[in-house]
Amino acid sequence: MSFETISVIGLGYIGLPTAAMFAAYGKNVIGVDVNQHAVDTINRGEIHIVEPELDAIVHKAVTDGKLKAVLVPESADAFLIAVPTPFLQIENDGDIPQPDLKYIQAAAKAIAPVLKKDDLVILESTSPVGATEQMANWLAEYRSDLTFPKTHGDASDVRIAHCPERVLPGHVVRELVENDRVIGGMTAKCSELAVELYKTFVKGECVITNARTAEMAKLTENSCRDVQIAFANELSIICDELDINVWELISLANRHPRINILQPGPGVGGHCIAVDPWFIVSKTPEQAQIIHVARKVNDAKPKWVINKVKVAIAEFLQENPTKTVKDITIACFGLAFKPDIDDLRESPALNITKEVAKLHSGNVIAVEPNIAKLPNSLSSVTELKDFQHAIREADIAVILVDHKEFKDIKFVSSTKVIDTKGIV
Ligand code: SAJ
């Protein structure tokens, strides 16, 4: 089977680079998105997301006529679904977040009318175990004239697989090509065809398993990182209590040949590591003990940092009895969810800055070298200032992200520094 036309449903951080890569390797690609702005932007040869090197690849693919974006799916040989898998609204504090598959269902419904015999449908969205089978059930429901793997095995009209994306934001273009892929077909034939499709551009190994294991593999990778970060975050709180420098401690422990502790921080952000472990916990709440606790440890870290700010304010007032709270300037260094990117979504640094601005009646300034303008949620409570200004003005400095611009940061001795990233 040769896949001539490939359709990617969902043109976000994963779907757009994937669509562009297939187009760059000669396939005809139809990208589908419900967002008119995204569709228009891509069809102009531009991009609506920030990812290094992607703009040039999309521009060339569109100019060469290999990539187009549409609102409604058209016929294709393979469909890759890369839509979000968020949570359902939590009703009570402490409830376990439950995954919401409504975008996968909507994608299945949208492609069903154009689906034909011998098509391959791949779910790329990070999903709870069982989501691929659920998607296949929805497709079977919408297209009772076609056969599916669950009932017809390798002889089915439509082939289904789960192939989770595993690329690191900021390095997507390189990692899409170089990373190994986990290919979880619903049957052996489904896997074989999915490997053939990805081999269009993937230089890494395409390793075959079943759909459920592929779903769990992706959740396991991100949960493993979350648990390890929780360990580092817990160490940082223990060390603070015991008056030990956690950064020195970790670098010493990491000299052991079999130890590799990650770095503590102000909490875990982004749309993956802080989300995916819940897909395991919600499915197996009795069994997923460590994964659950790790989530709670990481989610509690921003509160701990905010408490440190409150303590610093009290100490500052004690040491400077002629001053009032209103005289204190707090500078927050970094708003992004990790270093050297401009992505503020689900960022603990952003949330901490917001909370500090809410609790502090004096001046709060924010430094984020990767953005030109503050998001609306912050612009009414704080100002975006440059690095040097913030260093000069800060009575209390809160370092929240280890951006490269902050590496040589130095404060005057009177500035109280809360360094969540071990830069100072
Ligand atoms: N973080 C720490 N300490 C560390 C490492 C990270 O506090 O030592 C924090 C970061 O500051 C950030 C959060 O964790 O707030 C997540 O950052 P990250 O770099 O660990 O991961 P993401 O969310 O950018 O991308 C992850 C990657 N998964 C793994 O490394 C196992 C990526 O490969 C996945 O494709 C991506 O999730 C995804 O889409 O699932």
Side-chain angles (χ1 to χ4, degrees), residues 165-169 218 222 225 262-263 269 272 337-338:
E165 62 79 15
R166 306 155 99 189
V167 287
L168 195 67
K218 168 64 196 245
N222 281 355
R225 198 154 166 86
L262 292 181
Q263 300 299 305
C272 311
F337 89 84
K338 62 182 203 172

Side-chain angles (χ1 to χ4, degrees), residues 183-238:
I183 310 275
M186 281 186 71
T187 67
K189 184 76 190 165
C190 300
S191 298
E192 187 192 308
L193 289 168
V195 171
E196 188 189 322
L197 177 66
Y198 281 104
K199 275 295 171 193
T200 305
F201 65 80
V202 171
K203 304 267 186 285
E205 206 179 321
C206 292
V207 188
I208 290 176
T209 180
N210 57 47
R212 291 174 81 82
T213 310
E215 288 162 343
M216 190 62 182
K218 168 64 196 245
L219 303 181
T220 300
E221 291 157 16
N222 281 355
S223 299
C224 175
R225 198 154 166 86
D226 198 43
V227 169
Q228 291 184 34
I229 298 169
F231 181 72
N233 277 332
E234 185 164 292
L235 273 181
S236 74
I237 295 171
I238 293 169

Side-chain angles (χ1 to χ4, degrees), residues 240-260:
D240 185 67
E241 201 60 35
L242 300 179
D243 202 17
I244 290 169
N245 179 327
V246 70
W247 314 99
E248 184 193 359
L249 174 83
I250 290 175
S251 82
L252 292 174
N254 281 349
R255 283 173 179 261
H256 184 288
R258 285 172 295 282
I259 300 297
N260 187 12

